[in-house]
Amino acid sequence: MVFKPLKKKLVSWFGPSLAFWTIKFLGQTMRFEEVNPEIPRYFWERGMPAIGAFWHGRLLMMPLIYKGKRLSFLVSPHRDGLVVGKSLARFGFHAILGSTYRKGFSAFKQMVKAHQNGSDIAITPDGPRGPRYRVQIGVIELAKLTGRPVVPLSFGASKKKIFKTWDHFLLPYPFSKGVFIWGEPIVVDPDGDRTHMEERRALLEKRLNELTERADHYFDLK
């Protein structure tokens, strides 16, 4: 039992560096394609902050695709989330501790402040613990509150390892090919009722699953 606390400390100490250099190494050795890059470019060129949404299991490579000026990233306040937050900080991103569940609404104040400061926001709407591929209502609440569109995004690789974790975490192999696929933005009516918000939530979930399915089979067609 004495090894469990030690393991946690080792993860806290070395996890951020390992994640950072893994992403950098993969970024140098892989070849990437980007589908629908004009979608995020529209917002970045006009200085219009948006909310980026992608599944938790596709998180690893996302720092490589961001070309905006400022990004705040919602991460879990638990140990794994803190490791992710520290690694993302090395890319120049700002970590906000919270979740996409209702009990994570305490993070909204920080996200709204980030919005007011012109920052984009990135969210994994099925995090931090699932259910996998199910959008939690928090991202829709945030879009309604801030007036920002939600831009869905997914990632796939020609050769990869899918871990048997709750989120089916994807680790691409070095020297493989990767693809980022952007989806059409989803706007939430600031005066929308619960029925409207549920419709938007279901639409985001559907769109993310379609993008992920396409990303997973993207290189099969080539």
Side-chain angles (χ1 to χ4, degrees), residues 55 100-101 124-127 130-137 166 198 201 204-205 208-209:
W55 294 136
T100 51
Y101 289 92
T124 56
D126 59 342
R132 180 177 67 250
Y133 302 161
R134 290 294 306 275
V135 169
Q136 303 298 326
I137 196 64
W166 73 263
E198 172 56 25
R201 187 206 67 78
L204 176 58
E205 183 173 294
L208 278 172
N209 282 328

Side-chain angles (χ1 to χ4, degrees), residues 52-102:
F54 44 85
W55 294 136
H56 195 278
R58 307 302 165 112
L59 165 65
L60 184 66
M61 304 307 293
M62 292 306 176
L64 299 181
I65 197 61
Y66 183 71
K67 301 180 181 68
K69 294 182 178 180
R70 187 180 304 172
L71 179 66
S72 297
F73 207 112
L74 182 65
V75 298
S76 167
H78 300 95
R79 184 189 66 196
D80 292 346
L82 293 175
V83 170
V84 171
K86 290 179 180 179
S87 63
L88 291 172
R90 298 188 178 209
F91 287 96
F93 305 148
H94 171 65
I96 294 176
L97 302 182
S99 78
T100 51
Y101 289 92
R102 285 189 171 277

Side-chain angles (χ1 to χ4, degrees), residues 1-11 13 79:
M1 301 297 289
V2 71
F3 292 105
K4 286 188 177 181
L6 178 59
K7 181 180 178 180
K8 291 180 179 181
K9 288 184 178 181
L10 289 174
V11 170
W13 291 339
R79 184 189 66 196

